[in-house]
mmCIF file of all heavy atoms in Angstrom:
data_model
loop_
_atom_site.group_PDB
_atom_site.id
_atom_site.type_symbol
_atom_site.label_atom_id
_atom_site.label_comp_id
_atom_site.label_asym_id
_atom_site.label_seq_id
_atom_site.Cartn_x
_atom_site.Cartn_y
_atom_site.Cartn_z
ATOM 1 N N GLY Z 1 23.113 179.776 -81.602
ATOM 2 C CA GLY Z 1 23.822 180.426 -80.515
ATOM 3 C C GLY Z 1 25.218 179.870 -80.466
ATOM 4 O O GLY Z 1 25.613 178.903 -81.043
ATOM 5 N N SER Z 2 26.067 180.654 -79.738
ATOM 6 C CA SER Z 2 27.542 180.284 -79.754
ATOM 7 C C SER Z 2 28.000 179.996 -78.337
ATOM 8 O O SER Z 2 29.220 179.789 -78.103
ATOM 9 C CB SER Z 2 28.344 181.458 -80.335
ATOM 10 O OG SER Z 2 28.193 182.628 -79.543
ATOM 11 N N TYR Z 3 27.273 180.008 -77.303
ATOM 12 C CA TYR Z 3 27.610 179.854 -76.011
ATOM 13 C C TYR Z 3 28.338 178.550 -75.739
ATOM 14 O O TYR Z 3 29.264 178.392 -74.790
ATOM 15 C CB TYR Z 3 26.551 180.217 -74.936
ATOM 16 C CG TYR Z 3 27.267 180.258 -73.503
ATOM 17 C CD1 TYR Z 3 27.862 181.491 -73.133
ATOM 18 C CD2 TYR Z 3 27.064 179.261 -72.521
ATOM 19 C CE1 TYR Z 3 28.401 181.561 -71.883
ATOM 20 C CE2 TYR Z 3 27.524 179.493 -71.297
ATOM 21 C CZ TYR Z 3 28.281 180.551 -70.913
ATOM 22 O OH TYR Z 3 28.762 180.667 -69.745
ATOM 23 N N GLN Z 4 27.928 177.446 -76.434
ATOM 24 C CA GLN Z 4 28.571 176.155 -76.323
ATOM 25 C C GLN Z 4 29.970 176.094 -76.458
ATOM 26 O O GLN Z 4 30.728 175.278 -75.933
ATOM 27 C CB GLN Z 4 27.935 175.200 -77.151
ATOM 28 C CG GLN Z 4 28.356 175.231 -78.727
ATOM 29 C CD GLN Z 4 27.548 176.368 -79.457
ATOM 30 O OE1 GLN Z 4 26.707 176.918 -78.756
ATOM 31 N NE2 GLN Z 4 27.723 176.387 -80.743
ATOM 32 N N GLN Z 5 30.562 177.133 -77.097
ATOM 33 C CA GLN Z 5 31.966 177.276 -77.272
ATOM 34 C C GLN Z 5 32.626 177.741 -76.055
ATOM 35 O O GLN Z 5 33.955 177.654 -75.815
ATOM 36 C CB GLN Z 5 32.334 178.276 -78.392
ATOM 37 C CG GLN Z 5 31.802 177.948 -79.772
ATOM 38 C CD GLN Z 5 31.879 179.028 -80.756
ATOM 39 O OE1 GLN Z 5 32.542 180.114 -80.411
ATOM 40 N NE2 GLN Z 5 31.243 178.845 -81.938
ATOM 41 N N ARG Z 6 31.983 178.141 -75.009
ATOM 42 C CA ARG Z 6 32.490 178.548 -73.706
ATOM 43 C C ARG Z 6 32.233 177.503 -72.523
ATOM 44 O O ARG Z 6 32.652 177.912 -71.413
ATOM 45 C CB ARG Z 6 31.921 179.916 -73.261
ATOM 46 C CG ARG Z 6 32.015 180.977 -74.382
ATOM 47 C CD ARG Z 6 31.451 182.338 -73.826
ATOM 48 N NE ARG Z 6 31.251 183.295 -74.814
ATOM 49 C CZ ARG Z 6 30.670 184.500 -74.630
ATOM 50 N NH1 ARG Z 6 30.469 184.872 -73.439
ATOM 51 N NH2 ARG Z 6 30.465 185.333 -75.576
ATOM 52 N N PHE Z 7 31.530 176.437 -72.855
ATOM 53 C CA PHE Z 7 31.285 175.447 -71.908
ATOM 54 C C PHE Z 7 32.713 175.075 -71.121
ATOM 55 O O PHE Z 7 33.579 174.763 -71.748
ATOM 56 C CB PHE Z 7 30.656 174.206 -72.344
ATOM 57 C CG PHE Z 7 29.373 174.319 -72.861
ATOM 58 C CD1 PHE Z 7 28.854 173.403 -73.757
ATOM 59 C CD2 PHE Z 7 28.486 175.440 -72.522
ATOM 60 C CE1 PHE Z 7 27.535 173.333 -74.022
ATOM 61 C CE2 PHE Z 7 27.284 175.519 -72.865
ATOM 62 C CZ PHE Z 7 26.613 174.518 -73.730
ATOM 63 N N SER Z 8 32.602 175.130 -69.831
ATOM 64 C CA SER Z 8 33.689 174.593 -68.977
ATOM 65 C C SER Z 8 33.519 173.217 -68.472
ATOM 66 O O SER Z 8 34.496 172.467 -68.142
ATOM 67 C CB SER Z 8 33.992 175.594 -67.810
ATOM 68 O OG SER Z 8 32.866 175.619 -67.001
ATOM 69 N N ALA Z 9 32.210 172.716 -68.456
ATOM 70 C CA ALA Z 9 32.016 171.496 -67.899
ATOM 71 C C ALA Z 9 31.055 170.554 -68.879
ATOM 72 O O ALA Z 9 31.230 169.529 -69.183
ATOM 73 C CB ALA Z 9 31.333 171.517 -66.464
ATOM 74 N N TYR Z 10 29.846 171.353 -69.184
ATOM 75 C CA TYR Z 10 28.856 170.447 -69.852
ATOM 76 C C TYR Z 10 29.482 169.858 -71.181
ATOM 77 O O TYR Z 10 30.032 170.629 -71.972
ATOM 78 C CB TYR Z 10 27.668 171.489 -70.135
ATOM 79 C CG TYR Z 10 26.557 170.700 -70.697
ATOM 80 C CD1 TYR Z 10 25.598 170.034 -69.847
ATOM 81 C CD2 TYR Z 10 26.268 170.474 -72.193
ATOM 82 C CE1 TYR Z 10 24.449 169.270 -70.292
ATOM 83 C CE2 TYR Z 10 25.210 169.808 -72.663
ATOM 84 C CZ TYR Z 10 24.335 169.133 -71.794
ATOM 85 O OH TYR Z 10 23.335 168.415 -72.235
ATOM 86 N N ASP Z 11 29.116 168.655 -71.440
ATOM 87 C CA ASP Z 11 29.479 167.993 -72.686
ATOM 88 C C ASP Z 11 30.944 167.887 -72.974
ATOM 89 O O ASP Z 11 31.432 167.846 -74.074
ATOM 90 C CB ASP Z 11 28.645 168.704 -73.899
ATOM 91 C CG ASP Z 11 28.610 167.729 -75.058
ATOM 92 O OD1 ASP Z 11 28.466 166.542 -74.849
ATOM 93 O OD2 ASP Z 11 28.600 168.270 -76.235
ATOM 94 N N ARG Z 12 31.840 167.880 -71.759
ATOM 95 C CA ARG Z 12 33.177 167.838 -71.943
ATOM 96 C C ARG Z 12 33.791 166.559 -71.258
ATOM 97 O O ARG Z 12 34.914 166.610 -70.719
ATOM 98 C CB ARG Z 12 33.898 169.066 -71.475
ATOM 99 C CG ARG Z 12 33.448 170.427 -72.110
ATOM 100 C CD ARG Z 12 34.266 171.532 -71.651
ATOM 101 N NE ARG Z 12 35.734 171.416 -72.056
ATOM 102 C CZ ARG Z 12 36.733 171.217 -71.127
ATOM 103 N NH1 ARG Z 12 36.422 171.250 -69.785
ATOM 104 N NH2 ARG Z 12 37.938 170.892 -71.444
ATOM 105 N N GLU Z 13 33.015 165.531 -71.255
ATOM 106 C CA GLU Z 13 33.519 164.294 -70.588
ATOM 107 C C GLU Z 13 34.821 163.805 -71.093
ATOM 108 O O GLU Z 13 35.144 163.836 -72.258
ATOM 109 C CB GLU Z 13 32.437 163.168 -70.799
ATOM 110 C CG GLU Z 13 32.768 161.880 -70.114
ATOM 111 C CD GLU Z 13 31.755 160.776 -70.373
ATOM 112 O OE1 GLU Z 13 30.875 161.082 -71.374
ATOM 113 O OE2 GLU Z 13 31.899 159.722 -69.778
ATOM 114 N N GLY Z 14 35.743 163.586 -70.151
ATOM 115 C CA GLY Z 14 36.982 163.082 -70.553
ATOM 116 C C GLY Z 14 37.968 164.175 -70.870
ATOM 117 O O GLY Z 14 39.241 163.895 -71.124
ATOM 118 N N GLU Z 15 37.659 165.439 -70.907
ATOM 119 C CA GLU Z 15 38.591 166.503 -71.211
ATOM 120 C C GLU Z 15 39.049 167.138 -69.922
ATOM 121 O O GLU Z 15 38.456 167.054 -68.795
ATOM 122 C CB GLU Z 15 37.774 167.576 -72.074
ATOM 123 C CG GLU Z 15 37.368 167.050 -73.372
ATOM 124 C CD GLU Z 15 36.645 168.123 -74.236
ATOM 125 O OE1 GLU Z 15 37.059 169.377 -73.994
ATOM 126 O OE2 GLU Z 15 35.840 167.807 -75.075
ATOM 127 N N PRO Z 16 40.260 167.777 -70.001
ATOM 128 C CA PRO Z 16 40.771 168.456 -68.823
ATOM 129 C C PRO Z 16 39.935 169.500 -68.255
ATOM 130 O O PRO Z 16 39.221 170.333 -68.883
ATOM 131 C CB PRO Z 16 42.108 168.973 -69.426
ATOM 132 C CG PRO Z 16 42.375 168.364 -70.581
ATOM 133 C CD PRO Z 16 41.103 167.983 -71.198
ATOM 134 N N CYS Z 17 39.905 169.636 -66.925
ATOM 135 C CA CYS Z 17 39.240 170.676 -66.241
ATOM 136 C C CYS Z 17 39.871 172.091 -66.678
ATOM 137 O O CYS Z 17 41.148 172.166 -66.599
ATOM 138 C CB CYS Z 17 39.221 170.441 -64.682
ATOM 139 S SG CYS Z 17 38.314 171.736 -63.883
ATOM 140 N N LEU Z 18 39.082 173.116 -66.775
ATOM 141 C CA LEU Z 18 39.480 174.291 -67.247
ATOM 142 C C LEU Z 18 39.805 175.262 -65.981
ATOM 143 O O LEU Z 18 40.165 176.363 -66.152
ATOM 144 C CB LEU Z 18 38.572 175.030 -68.189
ATOM 145 C CG LEU Z 18 38.384 174.304 -69.496
ATOM 146 C CD1 LEU Z 18 37.441 174.955 -70.483
ATOM 147 C CD2 LEU Z 18 39.890 174.115 -70.174
ATOM 148 N N THR Z 19 39.403 174.791 -64.763
ATOM 149 C CA THR Z 19 39.609 175.577 -63.529
ATOM 150 C C THR Z 19 41.233 175.731 -63.418
ATOM 151 O O THR Z 19 41.966 174.800 -63.492
ATOM 152 C CB THR Z 19 39.090 175.009 -62.258
ATOM 153 O OG1 THR Z 19 37.710 174.689 -62.483
ATOM 154 C CG2 THR Z 19 39.327 175.781 -61.107
ATOM 155 N N PRO Z 20 41.667 176.997 -63.214
ATOM 156 C CA PRO Z 20 43.144 177.188 -63.013
ATOM 157 C C PRO Z 20 43.709 176.356 -61.907
ATOM 158 O O PRO Z 20 43.065 176.224 -60.816
ATOM 159 C CB PRO Z 20 43.151 178.779 -62.679
ATOM 160 C CG PRO Z 20 41.938 179.407 -63.224
ATOM 161 C CD PRO Z 20 40.820 178.336 -63.124
ATOM 162 N N ASN Z 21 44.743 175.816 -62.345
ATOM 163 C CA ASN Z 21 45.677 174.950 -61.426
ATOM 164 C C ASN Z 21 45.025 173.600 -61.053
ATOM 165 O O ASN Z 21 45.478 172.833 -60.191
ATOM 166 C CB ASN Z 21 45.957 175.633 -60.101
ATOM 167 C CG ASN Z 21 46.759 176.955 -60.379
ATOM 168 O OD1 ASN Z 21 47.656 176.925 -61.237
ATOM 169 N ND2 ASN Z 21 46.382 177.958 -59.819
ATOM 170 N N CYS Z 22 43.868 173.290 -61.673
ATOM 171 C CA CYS Z 22 43.270 172.071 -61.419
ATOM 172 C C CYS Z 22 43.825 170.896 -62.312
ATOM 173 O O CYS Z 22 43.941 171.193 -63.618
ATOM 174 C CB CYS Z 22 41.677 172.054 -61.604
ATOM 175 S SG CYS Z 22 40.893 170.468 -61.216
ATOM 176 N N ILE Z 23 43.986 169.724 -61.863
ATOM 177 C CA ILE Z 23 44.572 168.585 -62.636
ATOM 178 C C ILE Z 23 43.493 167.589 -63.020
ATOM 179 O O ILE Z 23 43.714 166.507 -63.503
ATOM 180 C CB ILE Z 23 45.748 167.881 -61.904
ATOM 181 C CG1 ILE Z 23 45.291 167.368 -60.684
ATOM 182 C CG2 ILE Z 23 46.913 168.945 -61.678
ATOM 183 C CD1 ILE Z 23 46.344 166.515 -59.938
ATOM 184 N N GLY Z 24 42.190 167.991 -62.729
ATOM 185 C CA GLY Z 24 41.051 166.999 -62.853
ATOM 186 C C GLY Z 24 40.698 166.793 -64.310
ATOM 187 O O GLY Z 24 40.982 167.625 -65.153
ATOM 188 N N THR Z 25 39.872 165.854 -64.486
ATOM 189 C CA THR Z 25 39.290 165.513 -65.826
ATOM 190 C C THR Z 25 37.666 165.451 -65.676
ATOM 191 O O THR Z 25 37.127 164.969 -64.667
ATOM 192 C CB THR Z 25 39.659 164.098 -66.229
ATOM 193 O OG1 THR Z 25 41.092 164.189 -66.574
ATOM 194 C CG2 THR Z 25 39.161 163.803 -67.617
ATOM 195 N N ILE Z 26 37.012 166.127 -66.549
ATOM 196 C CA ILE Z 26 35.503 166.257 -66.551
ATOM 197 C C ILE Z 26 34.966 164.806 -66.610
ATOM 198 O O ILE Z 26 35.258 164.052 -67.421
ATOM 199 C CB ILE Z 26 35.009 167.100 -67.569
ATOM 200 C CG1 ILE Z 26 35.508 168.518 -67.386
ATOM 201 C CG2 ILE Z 26 33.508 167.178 -67.489
ATOM 202 C CD1 ILE Z 26 35.229 169.170 -66.062
ATOM 203 N N LYS Z 27 33.951 164.635 -65.638
ATOM 204 C CA LYS Z 27 33.424 163.306 -65.535
ATOM 205 C C LYS Z 27 31.897 163.496 -65.810
ATOM 206 O O LYS Z 27 31.225 164.505 -65.507
ATOM 207 C CB LYS Z 27 33.601 162.710 -64.242
ATOM 208 C CG LYS Z 27 32.884 161.355 -63.868
ATOM 209 C CD LYS Z 27 33.180 160.814 -62.547
ATOM 210 C CE LYS Z 27 32.633 159.487 -62.189
ATOM 211 N NZ LYS Z 27 32.880 158.915 -60.906
ATOM 212 N N ARG Z 28 31.269 162.415 -66.305
ATOM 213 C CA ARG Z 28 29.823 162.495 -66.644
ATOM 214 C C ARG Z 28 29.116 161.440 -65.802
ATOM 215 O O ARG Z 28 29.533 160.172 -65.730
ATOM 216 C CB ARG Z 28 29.535 162.225 -68.199
ATOM 217 C CG ARG Z 28 28.014 162.059 -68.508
ATOM 218 C CD ARG Z 28 27.790 161.676 -69.958
ATOM 219 N NE ARG Z 28 26.389 161.324 -70.172
ATOM 220 C CZ ARG Z 28 25.936 160.150 -70.036
ATOM 221 N NH1 ARG Z 28 26.651 159.027 -69.544
ATOM 222 N NH2 ARG Z 28 24.614 159.896 -70.312
ATOM 223 N N ILE Z 29 28.055 161.824 -65.130
ATOM 224 C CA ILE Z 29 27.186 160.824 -64.378
ATOM 225 C C ILE Z 29 25.910 161.170 -64.922
ATOM 226 O O ILE Z 29 25.516 162.107 -65.525
ATOM 227 C CB ILE Z 29 27.344 161.030 -62.787
ATOM 228 C CG1 ILE Z 29 26.982 162.450 -62.401
ATOM 229 C CG2 ILE Z 29 28.815 160.595 -62.443
ATOM 230 C CD1 ILE Z 29 26.889 162.584 -60.964
ATOM 231 N N VAL Z 30 24.843 160.252 -64.470
ATOM 232 C CA VAL Z 30 23.464 160.447 -64.739
ATOM 233 C C VAL Z 30 22.729 160.627 -63.490
ATOM 234 O O VAL Z 30 22.843 159.892 -62.597
ATOM 235 C CB VAL Z 30 22.922 159.228 -65.608
ATOM 236 C CG1 VAL Z 30 21.393 159.372 -65.787
ATOM 237 C CG2 VAL Z 30 23.505 159.082 -66.932
ATOM 238 N N GLN Z 31 21.924 161.787 -63.444
ATOM 239 C CA GLN Z 31 21.053 162.067 -62.253
ATOM 240 C C GLN Z 31 19.664 162.211 -62.684
ATOM 241 O O GLN Z 31 19.407 163.069 -63.480
ATOM 242 C CB GLN Z 31 21.646 163.267 -61.674
ATOM 243 C CG GLN Z 31 22.992 163.090 -60.922
ATOM 244 C CD GLN Z 31 23.326 164.463 -60.269
ATOM 245 O OE1 GLN Z 31 23.781 165.394 -60.929
ATOM 246 N NE2 GLN Z 31 23.349 164.464 -58.880
ATOM 247 N N SER Z 32 18.780 161.442 -62.139
ATOM 248 C CA SER Z 32 17.376 161.563 -62.560
ATOM 249 C C SER Z 32 17.157 161.603 -64.144
ATOM 250 O O SER Z 32 16.320 162.326 -64.635
ATOM 251 C CB SER Z 32 16.802 162.706 -61.981
ATOM 252 O OG SER Z 32 16.769 162.781 -60.537
ATOM 253 N N GLY Z 33 17.974 160.696 -64.837
ATOM 254 C CA GLY Z 33 17.927 160.548 -66.305
ATOM 255 C C GLY Z 33 18.551 161.687 -67.083
ATOM 256 O O GLY Z 33 18.419 161.646 -68.268
ATOM 257 N N ARG Z 34 19.225 162.587 -66.360
ATOM 258 C CA ARG Z 34 19.939 163.677 -67.120
ATOM 259 C C ARG Z 34 21.418 163.541 -66.720
ATOM 260 O O ARG Z 34 21.876 163.150 -65.773
ATOM 261 C CB ARG Z 34 19.399 165.070 -66.623
ATOM 262 C CG ARG Z 34 17.925 165.177 -66.861
ATOM 263 C CD ARG Z 34 17.538 166.744 -66.400
ATOM 264 N NE ARG Z 34 16.174 166.870 -66.729
ATOM 265 C CZ ARG Z 34 15.533 168.070 -66.290
ATOM 266 N NH1 ARG Z 34 16.273 169.025 -65.898
ATOM 267 N NH2 ARG Z 34 14.219 168.306 -66.675
ATOM 268 N N SER Z 35 22.192 164.028 -67.841
ATOM 269 C CA SER Z 35 23.665 163.811 -67.729
ATOM 270 C C SER Z 35 24.184 165.116 -66.803
ATOM 271 O O SER Z 35 23.760 166.277 -67.055
ATOM 272 C CB SER Z 35 24.245 163.992 -69.180
ATOM 273 O OG SER Z 35 24.055 162.773 -69.839
ATOM 274 N N SER Z 36 25.050 164.779 -66.020
ATOM 275 C CA SER Z 36 25.667 165.857 -65.187
ATOM 276 C C SER Z 36 27.139 165.668 -65.529
ATOM 277 O O SER Z 36 27.733 164.629 -65.553
ATOM 278 C CB SER Z 36 25.408 165.698 -63.594
ATOM 279 O OG SER Z 36 24.084 165.876 -63.277
ATOM 280 N N PHE Z 37 27.850 166.935 -65.803
ATOM 281 C CA PHE Z 37 29.274 166.920 -66.027
ATOM 282 C C PHE Z 37 29.864 167.743 -64.985
ATOM 283 O O PHE Z 37 29.373 168.877 -64.563
ATOM 284 C CB PHE Z 37 29.427 167.615 -67.442
ATOM 285 C CG PHE Z 37 28.807 166.927 -68.487
ATOM 286 C CD1 PHE Z 37 27.513 167.131 -68.915
ATOM 287 C CD2 PHE Z 37 29.629 165.853 -69.220
ATOM 288 C CE1 PHE Z 37 26.891 166.366 -69.956
ATOM 289 C CE2 PHE Z 37 29.009 165.125 -70.355
ATOM 290 C CZ PHE Z 37 27.659 165.370 -70.738
ATOM 291 N N TYR Z 38 30.970 167.140 -64.454
ATOM 292 C CA TYR Z 38 31.652 167.957 -63.285
ATOM 293 C C TYR Z 38 33.036 167.389 -63.128
ATOM 294 O O TYR Z 38 33.523 166.443 -63.641
ATOM 295 C CB TYR Z 38 30.858 167.760 -61.908
ATOM 296 C CG TYR Z 38 31.095 166.367 -61.320
ATOM 297 C CD1 TYR Z 38 31.847 166.384 -60.190
ATOM 298 C CD2 TYR Z 38 30.534 165.201 -61.842
ATOM 299 C CE1 TYR Z 38 32.144 164.980 -59.650
ATOM 300 C CE2 TYR Z 38 30.632 163.969 -61.269
ATOM 301 C CZ TYR Z 38 31.459 163.839 -60.194
ATOM 302 O OH TYR Z 38 31.714 162.647 -59.542
ATOM 303 N N CYS Z 39 33.811 168.214 -62.428
ATOM 304 C CA CYS Z 39 35.188 167.825 -62.168
ATOM 305 C C CYS Z 39 35.342 167.297 -60.712
ATOM 306 O O CYS Z 39 34.964 167.924 -59.729
ATOM 307 C CB CYS Z 39 36.116 168.925 -62.209
ATOM 308 S SG CYS Z 39 37.790 168.630 -61.726
ATOM 309 N N PRO Z 40 35.680 165.949 -60.509
ATOM 310 C CA PRO Z 40 35.686 165.306 -59.217
ATOM 311 C C PRO Z 40 36.824 165.790 -58.327
ATOM 312 O O PRO Z 40 36.912 165.478 -57.192
ATOM 313 C CB PRO Z 40 35.916 163.852 -59.562
ATOM 314 C CG PRO Z 40 36.549 163.740 -60.946
ATOM 315 C CD PRO Z 40 35.883 164.917 -61.640
ATOM 316 N N VAL Z 41 37.765 166.650 -58.962
ATOM 317 C CA VAL Z 41 38.870 167.177 -58.199
ATOM 318 C C VAL Z 41 38.501 168.526 -57.623
ATOM 319 O O VAL Z 41 38.713 168.690 -56.361
ATOM 320 C CB VAL Z 41 40.103 167.234 -59.082
ATOM 321 C CG1 VAL Z 41 41.322 167.978 -58.404
ATOM 322 C CG2 VAL Z 41 40.618 165.883 -59.596
ATOM 323 N N CYS Z 42 38.030 169.415 -58.332
ATOM 324 C CA CYS Z 42 37.751 170.871 -57.839
ATOM 325 C C CYS Z 42 36.365 171.013 -57.410
ATOM 326 O O CYS Z 42 36.022 172.057 -56.694
ATOM 327 C CB CYS Z 42 38.277 171.853 -58.808
ATOM 328 S SG CYS Z 42 37.311 171.928 -60.313
#
């Protein structure tokens, strides 16, 4: 599959957020043993 090429958050720790006009950086945390990727700014 090729959808991983379109990820905006998942597996992008430390990379710039792709939300328009957002200056955040994708962060990784662990929730119930699973990785969560999100932007703490937007």
Side-chain angles (χ1 to χ4, degrees):
S2 63
Y3 192 74
Q4 72 280 1
Q5 299 170 7
R6 306 184 197 177
F7 287 165
S8 62
Y10 190 85
D11 204 29
R12 296 189 64 248
E13 181 183 12
E15 297 182 27
C17 178
L18 299 179
T19 301
N21 302 317
C22 181
I23 60 172
T25 299
I26 298 300
K27 182 179 180 180
R28 174 185 173 272
I29 59 173
V30 177
Q31 294 179 285
S32 302
R34 297 181 180 182
S35 293
S36 294
F37 298 88
Y38 77 105
C39 175
V41 174
C42 67

